[in-house]
Amino acid sequence: RDLVVRTAGKPLPDDVVGLILARADGIPLFVEELTRAVVASPLLIERNDRFEVGAAGAPSIPMTLRDSLMARLDSLGGSKQVAQIASVLGRSFPEMLVRLVADIQQALLEEHLQTLVGSQFFCREDEPEQPSYAFTHALLQDAAYDSLDARPHGRPTSRPRPRSRTPCPHWPTFPTLPTGSGRNCGCRSTWAGS
């Protein structure tokens, strides 16, 4: 109950809290995400010191964590597209790169970024040289990525791969790079055909 109130910022009706707790099955991340999805619902009315159920009835509680994340993403309006673009760029990303890819005006981008920070999808990283943001959780990045269309300008469907194991004679041969464990990461064998 305390986590629901902390996440919502104000008390929710007891029956809504009960539904959230029953659906979350004791998993704190799910409690937080379900609470955020419910608070974003237009069926709740925010009063001075608490939330109340509106005339249309109690909001539906998403069945799964994925459903909850998708519902939150859908409630972002135009900011959803910025979240989708950022999901392709990585867990953390510079604002400048989002601006270049999104091709929108700086003021509008800043508004969307503030919406995403306010909804706790993004957090701002302290980079004095270059403003940067990050998804607050990897599952949020996954949800934004999964919401992309699989059409040509939607989600990338695969990574580019060489057509054959035999490299072009003009391709450079890259040295083998060690990973943190000291093992060969396999990059050279993929491109050099070995």
Side-chain angles (χ1 to χ4, degrees), residues 134-167:
F135 283 91
T136 55
H137 197 282
L139 292 174
L140 295 171
Q141 179 188 0
D142 291 346
Y145 185 83
D146 289 345
S147 71
L148 289 167
D149 291 335
R151 292 176 293 176
H153 294 292
R155 176 179 20 178
T157 55
S158 65
R159 295 181 184 204
R161 288 180 265 164
R163 291 203 177 264
S164 72
R165 304 272 304 160
T166 307

Side-chain angles (χ1 to χ4, degrees), residues 29-30 32-34 36-37 65-74 76 79-80 82-88 90-91 93 116-123 134-148:
L29 175 64
F30 201 10
E32 290 174 345
E33 291 305 323
L34 285 175
R36 289 184 185 116
L65 179 57
R66 185 180 186 285
D67 291 342
S68 174
L69 297 175
M70 289 298 190
R72 281 190 56 214
L73 188 62
D74 289 339
L76 294 173
S79 300
K80 177 181 176 179
V82 173
Q84 290 171 322
I85 290 168
S87 73
V88 176
R91 175 85 187 266
F93 44 87
L116 290 161
V117 168
S119 63
Q120 298 178 353
F121 248 82
F122 290 175
C123 60
F135 283 91
T136 55
H137 197 282
L139 292 174
L140 295 171
Q141 179 188 0
D142 291 346
Y145 185 83
D146 289 345
S147 71
L148 289 167

Side-chain angles (χ1 to χ4, degrees), residues 109-141:
L109 175 62
E110 288 175 9
E111 181 181 319
H112 289 311
L113 290 171
Q114 290 310 311
T115 298
L116 290 161
V117 168
S119 63
Q120 298 178 353
F121 248 82
F122 290 175
C123 60
R124 189 175 169 108
E125 295 185 327
D126 291 330
E127 296 289 333
E129 299 290 319
Q130 181 177 24
S132 296
Y133 294 85
F135 283 91
T136 55
H137 197 282
L139 292 174
L140 295 171
Q141 179 188 0

